[in-house]
Structure formats: structure tokens, C-alpha cells
Amino acid sequence: MESIVVAAGRPHEPGAPLSVPPLLNATFRSAHDGTNAYLRNESSDSVRAFEQAVGALEGGTAIAFASGMAAIAAVVEGLPSGSTVVGPVAAYSGTISLLAEQQRLGRATVRSVDITDTDAVIAALPGADLLWVEALTNPLLGVPDLPALFDAARTAGVLVGVDATFATPVALRALDLGADVVMHSATKFLGGHSDLLMGVLVVRAPDLADSLTARRRLAGAMPGALECFLALRGVRTLAVRMERAQANAIELAVRLAAHPAVTRVRYPGLPSDPGHERASRQQSGFGAVISFEVTGAAGDAERACQRVELITHATSLGGVESIIERRARYDIDAAAGCPPTLLRLSVGIEHVDDLWADLTQALAELPSLTDGDPVRS
Ligand code: PLP
């Protein structure tokens, strides 16, 4: 994987540049043989170079999209009208909203389940068309039992899509485990620098690749060449960025778990985390996002976010820079069960001691746990 991220998607002809340059162009001259290309329909070398690299990383055919949401929409909106989707109760808010919208429009029935509860998911599968899971879940960092869910879905004849944005291809190869579709918001770890918006799907079945490519064309969801160039440039350092970010994340999770203003740390890299055993079995890393709950009320947690200096208070995640956010500030996350004081921390590649110093000062004004408080979980 460390070598694939560096080598995949490069031109090989003698005299070729090492990287496919961003081809900033939408229209191509017609040829006399009738060849007639337009970016939204035909893609371009810049898009294909990114797709080759991600396809090689995941072990399938990659189809790039203008955003992560456009990628998810291609799967969900490509289902026949009247389909049934088994989806997570708690997941990325955009996904929850998209599924709810499909239901509101009468296009799909959504069965919402706790996707970390294997029995509940399996019970919801009969008659369904699509199972959509997140590994890991955003923002609660739940770990679904992927092999068990994929087996059950295959038996029930249900297509399975996995949003692996949090795990990244460094930590998870979901197609190898039996997923039909792997999805990434390339805006996050693949791009890695918070400077582009892109998504990607990876599949193995040729007919699925064809139908999702057709959805991209119909929806006009082709990414721009500059975004593809930047995203592939980000992929080149994915392995080293993840190595550093995950090492930082484990260290910060351990330190946060012992902090007097932290009531709970959700990070599957901690042996005490309910998802640790599953994640250890099916992943080769625990990712670089930590969610933790703090003492006090929502306002206290919000003020802690406003006090960070090295860390950035912002939405999104997956960049070289650490980012923190109280997710329950969004009604949709609060309604999906996100605790009011949960802070989602996307851990970057800064020095861990500098991150810790910043967190410590940001959390300093929160009430400390005392002997009378409930036991940490
Ligand atoms: N999936 C997950 C897990 C996300 O966190 C996000 C964005 O935050 C998305 C999908 C949507 O991706 P994008 O913002 O690229 O549309």
C-alpha cells in the first residue's frame, strides 16, 4: 500500500511527465472518425489518473465524483423507485438527510438501524435492496461487524455500500471483506489538505461500474481536473500522513481518557473501546478521528472549541491540520443521538505534544470530574 500510493496512476511512456497534469478543459475537438468528447460525459486523463490510484488501493474499479455526497447519491438515487434501504441511525448527517429525502419523496423506504448491532441489521435485511454502512461511523466512531454484515447481505441478496471515509484505504480494504461498493469522501483523508471537494466509489462488478458511471454522467457529477490533480497529489502521502496521524490519535486518546474534564473517549484504538476487538480483526489501523465527551454543558464544550489555537475549530476532517467540532451543534446529529458535549477531533500530523498542550489549555476551564461523578466509560 505504501508503494501503491506513490506509484499508481502515473504515465509510463518515455518522455511523459511523472504526474498527469491537470487538464483544465471541458470541450475536445471533434475528430473526423466521429470521436467527440466533453468532460462531463467522457472524463479525462486527470480524472482517470486519480481513479487508477484509488482503484489500485481498494482493489477495484474507481469512479471519481465531484463530492462525497455526489458519490453516495449515485448509489442511493440509482436504486429503482420503491426500493428499501437499510441504513444507520447515526451516521454522517448528509447521508441521513439524503436517505430521509428519498423517503420523503416516496422513492425509498428507509429502515434505520444501529449498524453496530449485528442482529438488528440482519433482522432488517429481508426484502431490502441496499445496506449502507459507515466504517467507522461519523461521529460516534462505532465499528460495524463488516464480515458478518456482508455475509448476511449476500445471503439476503442485498447490495452493500460502505462509506470508508474514516477508515481510509490504509486501514480497511472493504471489497476484500465482501462489500459491493466502497465510498470515500476524498475531501477528507485522500485529499488530505482541506483544499478540495471530491468523492469516489470503488466496485468490482463491471455492470455496477457501468451503471454508476452512467449515474455520474446523468447527474453531472464529474469532478474537475484540478481537484483530481490535487487529490492524487494528496494520495501520494496518504500512507505517511496516516501513520503519523494515527500514532498521534492513539496517544491523544490515551491522554484524553485520563483527563479530569473528559467523561468518555470513543476511539477504537483504545483497548477499552467497545469496537476495539472488531476493529482489530477487520482493520489494519484505527483511523485518526477521536470523539470525546467533556464535563459541563453544551455551552462549555462549545467554548472549549473556541479556545483552541493550534487546532482549528471547523467542520470537516482528514487534513494534515487537526480540526475540532461539537457535532451536536447540528440538530440532525443531536437527533441521531450525538451527546451534547461530544467533540469530534480529526487528528492531524502536528507534533503530538503541541496538540496535547493546546487541548489541555482549551479544556482547562471545564469542571473536573470529582469522586462523586459517574465512573468514566
Ligand atoms: N461521508 C462521511 C463519513 C463524511 O464525513 C462526509 C463529509 O463530512 C461525507 C461522506 C460527504 O463528503 P463530501 O463533503 O465530500 O460531500
Side-chain angles (χ1 to χ4, degrees):
M1 188 275 305
E2 291 83 350
S3 305
I4 295 176
V5 295
V6 173
R10 293 199 189 272
H12 285 290
E13 319 77 73
L18 263 67
S19 302
V20 175
L23 185 64
L24 300 176
N25 190 71
T27 306
F28 299 79
R29 285 182 193 279
S30 296
H32 295 311
D33 66 1
T35 314
N36 186 26
Y38 180 59
L39 180 62
R40 169 161 52 71
N41 297 336
E42 303 339 306
S43 176
S44 76
D45 288 349
S46 306
V47 183
R48 281 187 286 271
F50 171 78
E51 290 174 338
Q52 266 171 28
V54 178
L57 277 175
E58 290 285 3
T61 303
I63 306 148
F65 286 82
S67 70
M69 282 310 298
I72 300 172
V75 179
V76 172
E77 295 176 3
L79 296 171
S81 183
S83 293
T84 296
V85 180
V86 178
V89 175
Y92 172 57
S93 53
T95 306
I96 304 277
S97 303
L98 179 75
L99 292 175
E101 179 71 350
Q102 290 296 298
Q103 179 144 292
R104 192 183 68 75
L105 294 170
R107 296 195 182 129
T109 302
V110 180
R111 295 179 188 155
S112 298
V113 287
D114 171 359
I115 53 161
T116 65
D117 180 342
T118 307
D119 291 341
V121 180
I122 292 174
L125 287 177
D129 301 278
L130 172 69
L131 167 64
W132 189 261
V133 302
E134 280 182 0
L136 314 154
T137 68
N138 180 5
L140 299 181
L141 295 182
V143 185
D145 185 343
L146 297 177
L149 298 187
F150 297 167
D151 270 2
R154 193 177 316 109
T155 307
V158 178
L159 189 81
V160 185
V162 181
D163 180 338
T165 300
F166 273 38
T168 83
V170 171
L172 178 68
R173 296 246 313 179
L175 294 177
D176 288 347
L177 294 179
D180 298 297
V181 184
V182 172
M183 174 266 158
H184 293 279
S185 165
T187 313
K188 310 296 190 295
F189 292 97
L190 294 181
H193 295 77
S194 309
D195 54 5
L196 63 92
L197 194 64
M198 261 185 75
V200 63
L201 298 175
V202 195
V203 301
R204 284 197 176 146
D207 56 337
L208 198 49
D210 288 348
S211 67
L212 292 168
T213 305
R215 289 293 319 156
R216 176 177 68 179
R217 189 164 47 238
L218 289 171
M222 187 71 74
L226 188 56
E227 281 78 4
C228 290
F229 176 82
L230 288 172
L232 181 50
R233 192 175 156 124
V235 166
R236 300 292 180 225
T237 55
L238 179 67
V240 284
R241 281 188 287 109
M242 287 308 293
E243 194 177 312
R244 172 62 169 263
Q246 290 187 119
N248 280 354
I250 291 194
E251 182 60 31
L252 292 180
V254 168
R255 293 188 194 184
L256 282 168
H259 191 284
V262 174
T263 56
R264 176 170 180 181
V265 178
R266 298 166 188 253
Y267 181 66
L270 288 178
S272 57
D273 189 90
H276 179 72
E277 196 267 322
R278 269 184 198 167
S280 307
R281 250 191 298 121
Q282 65 200 22
Q283 295 184 193
S284 48
F286 301 110
V289 182
I290 301 171
S291 288
F292 61 100
E293 287 153 56
V294 294
T295 54
D300 299 302
E302 198 65 50
R303 277 186 291 282
C305 290
Q306 289 159 9
R307 278 197 295 269
V308 291
E309 291 167 1
L310 172 63
I311 300 168
T312 304
H313 181 207
T315 198
S316 199
L317 53 109
V320 289
E321 59 287 305
S322 298
I323 288 183
I324 198 164
E325 183 178 37
R326 189 179 72 85
R327 285 303 295 187
R329 68 169 159 162
Y330 303 109
D331 291 346
I332 189 158
D333 280 66
C338 181
T341 69
L342 181 141
L343 303 182
R344 188 186 68 191
L345 174 65
S346 171
V347 181
I349 62 169
E350 302 91 337
H351 195 289
V352 70
D353 289 338
D354 296 331
L355 291 173
W356 182 243
D358 196 24
L359 279 173
T360 315
Q361 68 78 21
L363 302 179
E365 287 175 28
L366 290 166
S368 285
L369 283 172
T370 61
D371 290 346
D373 285 325
V375 184
R376 284 176 203 278
S377 46

